[in-house]
Amino acid sequence: MKYALFSGCRTGFDIPQHPKSAKAVLSRLNVQTQELDFGCCGYPAKEKNLDAFLLLAIRNLAMAQAHNLPVLTLCKCCFGSLKQAEYYFKNDPDKQVRINSILQKEGLYYDGGVKIHHMLTLLDREIDQDLLRQCITHPLDGIKVAPSYGCHALRPSTITGFDDRPNAPTIFERIIALTGAEPVNWSRRLECCGNPLLEKNSSLAQTFILEKYKTAEQEGADIICMACNYCHMQFEHGRDLILKSGSTPPIPAMLITQLLGRAMGLEKDRTGAETAA
């Protein structure tokens, strides 16, 4: 199995542990990855210029198509953007012509059909579950984990196809359970982390993330787990706010790839994970 790994723009400086831990976990599962010269998924441009959003996103899919590879995203914003761009492109012949005429300048062309996976959908649907269980050599027995779903993979469900129950998803809990940990039925698991609001209404964005930390701990979680670059940055921001306030340090928040790495017995320097509860 081989995938074009779409790490996302922010990983290089902000979250290098995300692709690092993903590669370490995937290697254990005999999954090969190739990093192409991908650009932005288009997410920041989506609300300002639909054509620019589509061009940015479809260029990435055209590159994957040229290498005959499906795409594997680590970030739910990137996943949602690529899935929506594929949908809009497929259903608008005029935009197909316009975008391909621009892509031609780079020797690229896209006619649709590249498969787009998020790390969770890959683990849940493409990886042999017996193999995944065999790789769990250090099960996280007795640890309670609260999944933070993130917004952009779930909706619109008819386009993303992330979970067949978008209002009551279980895909994240299934992966957590494979590590031996106990998924927490967290009341705020589907709520926004607040990152999209950070530059527009920082006070509201901070309220969102602080409430997520607070309720996860109140509802018995030992760890909060996310599978999105932007969610991870927001949880780091929330942790800094809590520490600066002089309050007790919050429970750890980590990426699903780091949680899996811990359950697989991978060294911390391969996952970038701090010691958790």
Side-chain angles (χ1 to χ4, degrees), residues 189-262:
R189 69 195 184 109
L190 303 186
E191 292 192 11
C192 179
C193 68
N195 184 276
L197 296 170
L198 200 53
E199 295 182 1
K200 299 175 183 177
N201 189 331
S202 61
S203 177
L204 183 58
Q206 291 173 12
T207 297
F208 277 20
I209 195 62
L210 294 177
E211 282 299 311
K212 285 180 81 81
Y213 263 120
K214 178 182 175 182
T215 56
E217 192 162 4
Q218 287 176 340
E219 294 173 24
D222 300 308
I223 296 172
I224 298 171
C225 191
M226 78 292 298
C228 176
N229 293 341
Y230 285 93
C231 289
H232 183 271
M233 289 189 293
Q234 186 70 349
F235 274 103
E236 289 291 293
H237 177 61
R239 179 178 178 81
D240 288 344
L241 290 173
I242 293 169
L243 293 177
K244 286 177 182 177
S245 72
S247 301
T248 303
I251 60 176
M254 64 171 57
L255 297 156
I256 184 61
T257 48
Q258 294 177 315
L259 190 77
L260 283 164
R262 184 182 176 195

Coordinates of all heavy atoms in Angstrom, one line a residue, residues 189-262:
R189 N -17.3 16.4 22.2 CA -16.4 15.7 21.3 C -16.7 16.2 19.8 O -15.7 16.2 19.0 CB -16.6 14.2 21.3 CG -18.0 13.7 20.8 CD -18.2 12.3 21.2 NE -19.5 11.9 20.6 CZ -19.6 11.0 19.6 NH1 -18.5 10.4 19.1 NH2 -20.7 10.7 19.1
L190 N -17.9 16.7 19.5 CA -18.2 17.2 18.2 C -18.1 18.7 18.1 O -18.3 19.3 17.0 CB -19.6 16.7 17.7 CG -19.8 15.2 17.7 CD1 -21.2 14.9 17.1 CD2 -18.7 14.5 17.0
E191 N -17.8 19.4 19.1 CA -17.8 20.9 19.1 C -16.5 21.4 18.6 O -15.5 20.8 18.7 CB -18.1 21.4 20.5 CG -19.5 21.1 21.0 CD -19.9 21.9 22.3 OE1 -19.1 22.8 22.6 OE2 -20.9 21.6 22.9
C192 N -16.6 22.6 17.9 CA -15.5 23.2 17.3 C -14.4 23.6 18.4 O -14.8 23.9 19.5 CB -16.0 24.5 16.6 SG -14.6 25.5 15.8
C193 N -13.2 23.4 18.0 CA -12.1 23.8 18.9 C -11.9 25.3 19.0 O -11.3 25.8 20.0 CB -10.8 23.1 18.4 SG -10.1 23.8 16.9
G194 N -12.4 26.0 18.1 CA -12.3 27.5 18.1 C -11.3 28.1 17.2 O -11.2 29.3 17.0
N195 N -10.4 27.2 16.6 CA -9.3 27.8 15.8 C -9.8 28.7 14.7 O -9.1 29.7 14.4 CB -8.4 26.6 15.3 CG -7.2 27.1 14.6 OD1 -7.3 27.4 13.4 ND2 -6.1 27.2 15.3
P196 N -10.8 28.3 13.9 CA -11.2 29.2 12.8 C -11.6 30.6 13.3 O -11.7 31.5 12.5 CB -12.4 28.4 12.2 CG -12.2 27.0 12.6 CD -11.6 27.1 14.0
L197 N -11.9 30.8 14.6 CA -12.4 32.0 15.1 C -11.3 32.9 15.7 O -11.5 34.0 16.1 CB -13.5 31.8 16.2 CG -14.8 31.2 15.7 CD1 -15.6 30.9 17.0 CD2 -15.6 32.1 14.8
L198 N -10.1 32.2 15.8 CA -9.0 32.8 16.6 C -8.7 34.3 16.2 O -8.4 35.1 17.0 CB -7.8 31.9 16.5 CG -6.7 32.1 17.6 CD1 -7.4 32.0 19.0 CD2 -5.6 31.1 17.5
E199 N -8.6 34.5 14.8 CA -8.2 35.9 14.4 C -9.4 36.8 14.3 O -9.3 38.0 14.2 CB -7.6 35.8 13.0 CG -6.2 35.0 13.1 CD -5.5 35.0 11.7 OE1 -6.1 35.5 10.7 OE2 -4.5 34.4 11.6
K200 N -10.6 36.3 14.3 CA -11.8 37.1 14.2 C -12.5 37.4 15.5 O -13.0 38.5 15.7 CB -12.9 36.4 13.3 CG -12.4 36.1 11.9 CD -13.4 35.3 11.1 CE -12.8 34.9 9.7 NZ -13.8 34.0 9.0
N201 N -12.4 36.5 16.4 CA -13.0 36.7 17.8 C -12.2 35.8 18.7 O -12.6 34.7 19.1 CB -14.5 36.3 17.7 CG -15.2 36.7 19.0 OD1 -14.6 36.7 20.1 ND2 -16.5 36.9 18.9
S202 N -11.1 36.3 19.1 CA -10.2 35.5 20.0 C -10.8 35.1 21.3 O -10.5 34.1 21.8 CB -8.8 36.3 20.2 OG -9.1 37.5 20.8
S203 N -11.6 36.0 21.9 CA -12.2 35.7 23.2 C -13.1 34.5 23.1 O -13.1 33.6 23.9 CB -13.0 37.0 23.6 OG -13.7 36.7 24.9
L204 N -13.9 34.5 22.0 CA -14.8 33.3 21.8 C -14.0 32.1 21.5 O -14.4 31.0 22.0 CB -15.8 33.6 20.7 CG -16.9 32.6 20.4 CD1 -17.7 32.3 21.6 CD2 -17.7 33.0 19.2
A205 N -13.0 32.2 20.7 CA -12.2 31.0 20.4 C -11.5 30.5 21.6 O -11.5 29.2 21.8 CB -11.1 31.4 19.4
Q206 N -11.1 31.3 22.5 CA -10.5 30.9 23.8 C -11.5 30.2 24.7 O -11.2 29.2 25.3 CB -9.8 32.1 24.5 CG -8.6 32.6 23.8 CD -8.1 33.8 24.4 OE1 -8.4 34.2 25.5 NE2 -7.1 34.5 23.7
T207 N -12.7 30.7 24.7 CA -13.8 30.1 25.5 C -14.0 28.7 25.0 O -14.2 27.8 25.8 CB -15.1 30.9 25.4 OG1 -14.9 32.2 25.9 CG2 -16.2 30.3 26.1
F208 N -14.1 28.5 23.7 CA -14.3 27.2 23.1 C -13.3 26.2 23.6 O -13.6 25.1 24.1 CB -14.3 27.2 21.6 CG -15.6 27.7 20.9 CD1 -16.5 28.4 21.6 CD2 -15.8 27.4 19.6 CE1 -17.7 28.8 21.0 CE2 -17.0 27.9 19.0 CZ -17.9 28.5 19.7
I209 N -12.0 26.5 23.5 CA -11.0 25.5 23.8 C -10.9 25.3 25.3 O -10.6 24.2 25.8 CB -9.6 25.9 23.2 CG1 -8.7 24.7 23.2 CG2 -9.0 27.1 23.9 CD1 -9.1 23.6 22.4
L210 N -11.1 26.4 26.1 CA -11.0 26.2 27.6 C -12.1 25.3 28.1 O -12.0 24.5 29.0 CB -11.0 27.5 28.3 CG -9.7 28.4 28.0 CD1 -9.8 29.8 28.7 CD2 -8.5 27.7 28.5
E211 N -13.3 25.5 27.5 CA -14.4 24.6 27.8 C -14.2 23.2 27.5 O -14.6 22.3 28.2 CB -15.7 25.2 27.2 CG -16.3 26.4 27.9 CD -16.7 26.1 29.4 OE1 -17.4 25.1 29.6 OE2 -16.3 26.9 30.2
K212 N -13.6 23.0 26.3 CA -13.3 21.6 25.9 C -12.3 20.9 26.9 O -12.5 19.8 27.3 CB -12.7 21.6 24.5 CG -13.8 21.8 23.4 CD -13.2 21.8 22.0 CE -13.0 20.4 21.5 NZ -14.2 19.8 21.0
Y213 N -11.3 21.6 27.3 CA -10.4 21.1 28.3 C -11.1 20.8 29.6 O -11.0 19.7 30.2 CB -9.3 22.1 28.6 CG -8.0 21.9 27.8 CD1 -7.5 22.8 27.0 CD2 -7.2 20.7 28.0 CE1 -6.3 22.6 26.3 CE2 -6.0 20.5 27.3 CZ -5.6 21.5 26.5 OH -4.4 21.2 25.8
K214 N -11.9 21.8 30.0 CA -12.6 21.7 31.3 C -13.6 20.5 31.4 O -13.5 19.7 32.3 CB -13.4 23.0 31.6 CG -14.2 23.0 32.9 CD -14.9 24.3 33.0 CE -15.8 24.3 34.3 NZ -16.6 25.6 34.4
T215 N -14.4 20.3 30.4 CA -15.4 19.3 30.4 C -14.8 17.9 30.2 O -15.2 16.9 30.7 CB -16.5 19.5 29.3 OG1 -15.9 19.6 28.0 CG2 -17.3 20.8 29.6
A216 N -13.7 17.8 29.4 CA -13.1 16.5 29.2 C -12.5 16.0 30.5 O -12.7 14.8 30.8 CB -11.9 16.7 28.1
E217 N -11.9 16.9 31.3 CA -11.4 16.4 32.6 C -12.6 16.1 33.5 O -12.5 15.1 34.2 CB -10.5 17.5 33.1 CG -9.7 17.1 34.3 CD -8.6 18.0 34.6 OE1 -8.4 19.0 34.0 OE2 -7.8 17.6 35.5
Q218 N -13.6 16.9 33.5 CA -14.8 16.7 34.4 C -15.4 15.4 34.1 O -16.0 14.7 35.0 CB -15.8 17.8 34.3 CG -15.3 19.1 34.9 CD -16.3 20.2 34.7 OE1 -17.1 20.2 33.7 NE2 -16.3 21.3 35.5
E219 N -15.4 15.0 32.8 CA -16.1 13.8 32.4 C -15.2 12.5 32.4 O -15.5 11.5 31.8 CB -16.7 14.0 31.0 CG -17.9 15.0 31.1 CD -18.4 15.4 29.7 OE1 -18.3 14.6 28.8 OE2 -19.0 16.5 29.6
G220 N -14.0 12.7 33.0 CA -13.2 11.5 33.3 C -12.1 11.1 32.4 O -11.5 10.1 32.5
A221 N -11.8 12.0 31.4 CA -10.8 11.7 30.5 C -9.4 11.9 31.1 O -9.2 12.8 31.9 CB -10.9 12.6 29.3
D222 N -8.4 11.0 30.7 CA -7.0 11.2 31.1 C -6.3 11.9 30.0 O -5.2 12.5 30.3 CB -6.4 9.8 31.3 CG -7.1 9.0 32.4 OD1 -7.2 9.6 33.5 OD2 -7.5 7.9 32.2
I223 N -6.7 11.8 28.8 CA -6.1 12.3 27.6 C -7.2 12.9 26.6 O -8.2 12.2 26.5 CB -5.2 11.3 26.9 CG1 -4.1 10.8 27.7 CG2 -4.7 11.8 25.5 CD1 -3.3 9.6 27.1
I224 N -6.9 14.0 26.0 CA -7.7 14.4 24.8 C -6.9 14.0 23.6 O -5.7 14.2 23.5 CB -8.0 15.9 24.9 CG1 -8.7 16.3 26.1 CG2 -8.7 16.4 23.6 CD1 -8.8 17.8 26.4
C225 N -7.6 13.5 22.6 CA -7.0 13.1 21.4 C -7.6 13.8 20.2 O -8.8 13.9 20.1 CB -7.1 11.6 21.2 SG -6.0 10.9 19.9
M226 N -6.8 14.3 19.2 CA -7.3 14.9 18.0 C -6.6 14.3 16.8 O -5.5 13.7 16.9 CB -7.2 16.4 18.1 CG -5.8 17.0 17.9 SD -4.6 16.7 19.1 CE -5.3 17.4 20.6
A227 N -7.1 14.6 15.6 CA -6.5 14.1 14.4 C -6.6 15.2 13.3 O -6.9 15.0 12.2 CB -7.3 12.9 13.9
C228 N -6.2 16.4 13.7 CA -6.2 17.6 12.9 C -5.2 18.6 13.3 O -5.0 18.8 14.5 CB -7.6 18.3 13.0 SG -7.8 19.8 12.0
N229 N -4.5 19.2 12.3 CA -3.4 20.1 12.6 C -3.9 21.3 13.3 O -3.4 21.8 14.3 CB -2.8 20.6 11.3 CG -2.0 19.5 10.6 OD1 -1.6 18.5 11.2 ND2 -1.7 19.7 9.3
Y230 N -5.1 21.9 12.8 CA -5.6 23.1 13.4 C -6.1 22.8 14.9 O -5.9 23.7 15.7 CB -6.7 23.7 12.6 CG -6.1 24.4 11.3 CD1 -6.0 23.7 10.1 CD2 -5.7 25.7 11.4 CE1 -5.4 24.3 9.0 CE2 -5.1 26.3 10.3 CZ -5.0 25.6 9.1 OH -4.5 26.3 8.0
C231 N -6.8 21.7 15.1 CA -7.2 21.4 16.4 C -6.0 21.2 17.4 O -6.0 21.7 18.5 CB -8.0 20.1 16.4 SG -9.6 20.1 15.6
H232 N -4.9 20.6 16.9 CA -3.8 20.4 17.7 C -3.2 21.8 18.1 O -2.9 22.0 19.3 CB -2.7 19.6 17.0 CG -1.5 19.4 17.8 ND1 -0.4 20.2 17.9 CD2 -1.2 18.4 18.7 CE1 0.5 19.8 18.7 NE2 0.1 18.6 19.2
M233 N -3.1 22.7 17.2 CA -2.6 24.1 17.5 C -3.5 24.8 18.5 O -3.0 25.5 19.4 CB -2.4 24.9 16.2 CG -1.3 24.4 15.3 SD -1.0 25.5 13.9 CE -2.5 25.3 13.0
Q234 N -4.8 24.6 18.4 CA -5.7 25.2 19.3 C -5.6 24.6 20.7 O -5.7 25.4 21.7 CB -7.1 25.1 18.7 CG -8.2 25.9 19.6 CD -8.0 27.4 19.4 OE1 -7.1 27.9 18.9 NE2 -9.0 28.1 19.9
F235 N -5.4 23.3 20.8 CA -5.2 22.7 22.1 C -3.9 23.2 22.7 O -3.9 23.4 24.0 CB -5.3 21.2 22.0 CG -6.7 20.7 22.1 CD1 -7.4 20.3 21.0 CD2 -7.4 20.7 23.3 CE1 -8.7 19.8 21.0 CE2 -8.7 20.2 23.4 CZ -9.4 19.7 22.3
E236 N -2.9 23.4 21.9 CA -1.6 23.9 22.5 C -1.8 25.3 23.0 O -1.3 25.7 24.0 CB -0.6 23.9 21.4 CG -0.1 22.5 21.0 CD 0.8 21.9 22.1 OE1 1.9 22.4 22.4 OE2 0.3 20.9 22.8
H237 N -2.6 26.1 22.2 CA -2.9 27.5 22.6 C -3.7 27.5 23.9 O -3.4 28.3 24.8 CB -3.7 28.2 21.5 CG -4.2 29.6 21.8 ND1 -3.3 30.6 22.1 CD2 -5.4 30.1 21.9 CE1 -4.0 31.7 22.4 NE2 -5.2 31.4 22.3
G238 N -4.7 26.6 24.0 CA -5.4 26.5 25.3 C -4.6 26.1 26.5 O -4.8 26.6 27.6
R239 N -3.7 25.2 26.2 CA -2.8 24.8 27.3 C -1.9 25.9 27.8 O -1.8 26.1 29.0 CB -1.9 23.6 26.8 CG -0.9 23.1 27.9 CD -0.1 22.0 27.4 NE 0.9 21.5 28.4 CZ 0.6 20.7 29.4 NH1 -0.6 20.3 29.5 NH2 1.5 20.4 30.3
D240 N -1.4 26.7 26.9 CA -0.6 27.9 27.2 C -1.4 28.9 28.0 O -0.9 29.5 29.0 CB -0.1 28.6 26.0 CG 1.0 27.8 25.3 OD1 1.6 26.9 25.9 OD2 1.3 28.1 24.1
L241 N -2.7 29.1 27.7 CA -3.6 30.0 28.4 C -3.8 29.5 29.8 O -3.7 30.3 30.8 CB -4.9 30.1 27.7 CG -5.0 30.9 26.4 CD1 -6.3 30.7 25.7 CD2 -4.6 32.3 26.6
I242 N -4.0 28.2 30.0 CA -4.2 27.7 31.3 C -3.0 27.8 32.2 O -3.0 28.2 33.4 CB -4.7 26.2 31.2 CG1 -6.0 26.1 30.6 CG2 -4.7 25.5 32.6 CD1 -6.5 24.7 30.2
L243 N -1.8 27.5 31.6 CA -0.6 27.6 32.4 C -0.2 29.0 32.8 O 0.2 29.3 33.9 CB 0.6 27.0 31.6 CG 0.5 25.5 31.3 CD1 1.7 25.0 30.4 CD2 0.5 24.7 32.6
K244 N -0.5 30.0 31.8 CA -0.2 31.4 32.1 C -1.2 31.9 33.2 O -0.8 32.9 33.9 CB -0.4 32.2 30.9 CG 0.8 32.0 29.9 CD 0.5 32.8 28.6 CE 1.7 32.6 27.6 NZ 1.4 33.3 26.3
S245 N -2.3 31.3 33.3 CA -3.3 31.8 34.4 C -2.9 31.3 35.7 O -3.5 31.7 36.7 CB -4.7 31.3 34.0 OG -4.8 29.9 34.2
G246 N -1.9 30.4 35.8 CA -1.5 29.9 37.1 C -2.3 28.7 37.6 O -2.1 28.2 38.7
S247 N -3.2 28.2 36.7 CA -4.1 27.1 37.1 C -3.3 25.8 37.0 O -2.2 25.7 36.4 CB -5.3 27.0 36.2 OG -6.1 28.2 36.3
T248 N -3.9 24.7 37.5 CA -3.2 23.4 37.4 C -3.1 23.0 36.0 O -4.0 23.2 35.2 CB -4.1 22.4 38.2 OG1 -4.3 22.8 39.5 CG2 -3.5 21.0 38.1
P249 N -2.0 22.5 35.6 CA -1.8 22.0 34.2 C -3.0 21.1 33.7 O -3.4 20.3 34.5 CB -0.5 21.3 34.2 CG 0.3 21.9 35.3 CD -0.8 22.2 36.3
P250 N -3.5 21.3 32.5 CA -4.6 20.5 32.0 C -4.1 19.1 31.7 O -2.9 18.8 31.6 CB -5.0 21.2 30.8 CG -3.8 21.9 30.2 CD -3.0 22.3 31.5
I251 N -5.1 18.2 31.4 CA -4.7 16.9 31.0 C -4.0 16.9 29.6 O -4.2 17.9 28.9 CB -6.0 16.0 30.9 CG1 -7.0 16.5 29.9 CG2 -6.6 15.8 32.3 CD1 -8.2 15.7 29.7
P252 N -3.2 15.9 29.3 CA -2.5 16.0 28.0 C -3.4 15.9 26.8 O -4.5 15.3 26.9 CB -1.6 14.7 28.1 CG -1.5 14.3 29.5 CD -2.8 14.8 30.1
A253 N -3.0 16.6 25.8 CA -3.8 16.5 24.5 C -2.8 16.1 23.4 O -1.7 16.7 23.3 CB -4.4 17.9 24.1
M254 N -3.1 15.0 22.7 CA -2.1 14.5 21.8 C -2.8 14.0 20.5 O -4.1 13.8 20.4 CB -1.3 13.3 22.4 CG -2.1 12.1 22.7 SD -1.1 10.7 23.2 CE -0.1 11.4 24.5
L255 N -2.0 13.9 19.5 CA -2.5 13.4 18.2 C -2.8 11.9 18.2 O -2.1 11.2 18.9 CB -1.5 13.8 17.1 CG -1.2 15.2 16.9 CD1 0.2 15.4 16.2 CD2 -2.3 15.9 16.0
I256 N -3.7 11.5 17.3 CA -4.0 10.1 17.3 C -2.8 9.3 16.9 O -2.6 8.1 17.3 CB -5.2 9.8 16.3 CG1 -5.6 8.3 16.3 CG2 -4.9 10.2 14.9 CD1 -6.1 7.8 17.7
T257 N -1.9 9.8 16.0 CA -0.7 9.1 15.6 C 0.2 9.0 16.8 O 1.0 8.0 16.9 CB 0.0 9.8 14.5 OG1 0.0 11.2 14.8 CG2 -0.8 9.7 13.2
Q258 N 0.2 9.9 17.7 CA 1.1 9.8 18.9 C 0.5 8.8 19.8 O 1.3 8.0 20.5 CB 1.2 11.2 19.6 CG 2.0 12.2 18.7 CD 2.0 13.5 19.4 OE1 1.0 14.0 19.9 NE2 3.2 14.2 19.4
L259 N -0.8 8.8 20.0 CA -1.5 7.8 20.8 C -1.2 6.4 20.3 O -0.8 5.4 21.1 CB -3.0 8.0 20.9 CG -3.7 7.2 22.0 CD1 -3.5 7.8 23.3 CD2 -5.2 7.2 21.6
L260 N -1.3 6.2 19.0 CA -1.0 4.9 18.4 C 0.4 4.5 18.6 O 0.8 3.3 18.9 CB -1.4 4.9 16.9 CG -2.9 4.8 16.6 CD1 -3.2 5.2 15.2 CD2 -3.4 3.4 16.8
G261 N 1.3 5.5 18.4 CA 2.7 5.2 18.6 C 3.1 4.7 20.0 O 3.9 3.8 20.1
R262 N 2.4 5.3 20.9 CA 2.6 4.9 22.3 C 2.2 3.5 22.5 O 2.8 2.7 23.1 CB 1.9 5.9 23.3 CG 2.2 5.5 24.7 CD 1.4 6.5 25.6 NE 1.6 6.1 27.0 CZ 0.9 6.5 28.0 NH1 -0.1 7.3 27.8 NH2 1.1 6.1 29.2

